[in-house]
Amino acid sequence: MKEWKNWLLALSSVALIGISGCSSSEDEQRELVANQGANALYNQAKKNMEIGNFSAAAATLSAIDSRFPFGPLSHQVQLDLIYSYYKTGNTEQTLATIDRFVRLNPNHADVDYALYMRGVTNMEQDNNLFQSLLNVERSDRDPSKSKESFEDFRRLIEKFPESKYARDAKQRMLAIKNRLAKYEIEVARFYMRREAYVAAANRGRYVLEHYPDTPQIQPALEIMVSSYDELGLDELRDNAVKTLRLNFPSSEFIR
């Protein structure tokens, strides 16, 4: 009887080992299938990106991101997803994906790329449809996205001064500064038309103080000359005229 019990115990142990082995084998198989699925989907997304079908690529990459959030491809999938969303003009999703990537991977080697793409996305969001299609200048439009883009590029350069994206970011910041200066000039001209000369002069001075390396210095000085003249502030007007004469001697505002 004792031998019979020992035999049952041994048989049970073998069965348990077999079940455990099956379970382990099934887990490995599921993981293998999952990895193969992610790789296959990613290859499909890459092919779509190569042929310029970024809408299809974004859909596939989003599916990978949802199904395999912690897989070996997760970081690259998110980076490709940023670019695909950007190329499809999906600004909201682009920025959301960038912010999530930076938040979850602050020390990743490609954080500089994510910050660069944030600046580019905000910069392009600022572009006016009519200006792009009809070459209509609209410097008076809301500059909030340009300001946000400027801060994105500034953050990139401060954190990653040696980044391969830093040089282009600096060039873009110069363009943004000129756009912001032009906005201030348009506002100053609006105040001039409304005869709000103090406000107009202040806008001109703001351009001189904050955007001295832009082409908007001449109109800023001319607005200041005109405003101070209207206000009867002769000393301030004469100082502005001297600066204008020194830097822009052909200006019609010089008497």
Side-chain angles (χ1 to χ4, degrees):
M1 187 68 176
K2 185 176 180 180
E3 292 179 358
W4 175 251
K5 289 182 178 180
N6 289 338
W7 183 81
L8 285 177
L9 181 60
L11 184 61
S12 298
S13 298
V14 171
L16 287 172
I17 292 172
I19 292 172
S20 176
C22 289
S23 176
S24 177
S25 177
E26 288 174 359
D27 289 342
E28 291 175 0
Q29 184 63 27
R30 278 196 296 268
E31 183 178 352
L32 180 62
V33 170
N35 288 335
Q36 287 178 337
N39 288 330
L41 287 171
Y42 183 69
N43 289 334
Q44 177 184 337
K46 291 296 288 184
K47 289 178 181 178
N48 283 325
M49 292 179 70
E50 289 170 2
I51 63 175
N53 190 351
F54 292 100
S55 180
T60 304
L61 291 166
S62 180
I64 301 171
D65 192 39
S66 298
R67 292 174 57 188
F68 311 102
F70 305 111
L73 295 173
S74 61
H75 289 156
Q76 190 57 51
V77 165
Q78 291 173 46
L79 292 169
D80 288 340
L81 194 54
I82 289 169
Y83 187 70
S84 295
Y85 279 144
Y86 164 75
K87 292 295 288 184
T88 58
N90 194 334
T91 301
E92 184 176 345
Q93 287 288 0
T94 303
L95 295 176
T97 307
I98 289 170
D99 291 344
R100 185 180 59 146
F101 181 85
V102 173
R103 184 178 68 255
L104 296 178
N105 310 283
N107 299 316
H108 193 276
D110 291 314
V111 168
D112 61 334
Y113 168 76
L115 293 176
Y116 173 75
M117 287 302 298
R118 198 180 203 289
V120 171
T121 301
N122 277 319
M123 187 176 183
E124 293 204 0
Q125 191 177 6
D126 182 63
N127 289 340
N128 183 274
L129 176 63
F130 293 103
Q131 183 174 340
S132 299
L133 297 180
L134 304 176
N135 198 29
V136 176
E137 178 61 49
R138 286 297 308 279
S139 300
D140 60 339
R141 66 191 186 278
D142 177 23
S144 58
K145 284 299 176 182
S146 276
K147 291 180 179 179
E148 192 170 346
S149 177
F150 189 89
E151 286 303 308
D152 292 331
F153 291 131
R154 183 189 59 77
R155 181 182 174 195
L156 164 64
I157 292 169
E158 285 185 354
K159 293 191 67 174
F160 306 99
E162 303 302 320
S163 169
K164 61 183 178 181
Y165 305 106
R167 182 176 179 180
D168 186 68
K170 290 177 182 177
Q171 293 298 317
R172 289 175 179 270
M173 288 175 75
L174 289 175
I176 293 171
K177 286 174 73 174
N178 188 47
R179 182 264 189 269
L180 295 174
K182 290 172 76 173
Y183 174 78
E184 295 296 328
I185 294 298
E186 289 302 318
V187 173
R189 286 172 175 159
F190 169 79
Y191 285 139
M192 290 289 291
R193 292 192 295 271
R194 295 297 182 97
E195 300 182 358
Y197 299 117
V198 173
N202 287 340
R203 290 283 180 161
R205 189 173 66 251
Y206 184 88
V207 172
L208 262 63
E209 293 173 352
H210 293 85
Y211 309 116
D213 52 349
T214 70
Q216 307 311 314
I217 295 302
Q218 180 174 348
L221 284 167
E222 291 172 346
I223 287 170
M224 292 169 67
V225 168
S226 182
S227 297
Y228 292 143
D229 192 40
E230 293 288 348
L231 293 167
L233 300 174
D234 296 343
E235 184 177 353
L236 291 175
R237 180 203 62 203
D238 292 344
N239 288 336
V241 168
K242 288 178 183 178
T243 305
L244 189 60
R245 181 181 293 112
L246 180 64
N247 292 278
F248 308 99
S250 60
S251 171
E252 62 182 22
F253 281 73
I254 297 175
R255 304 174 193 176

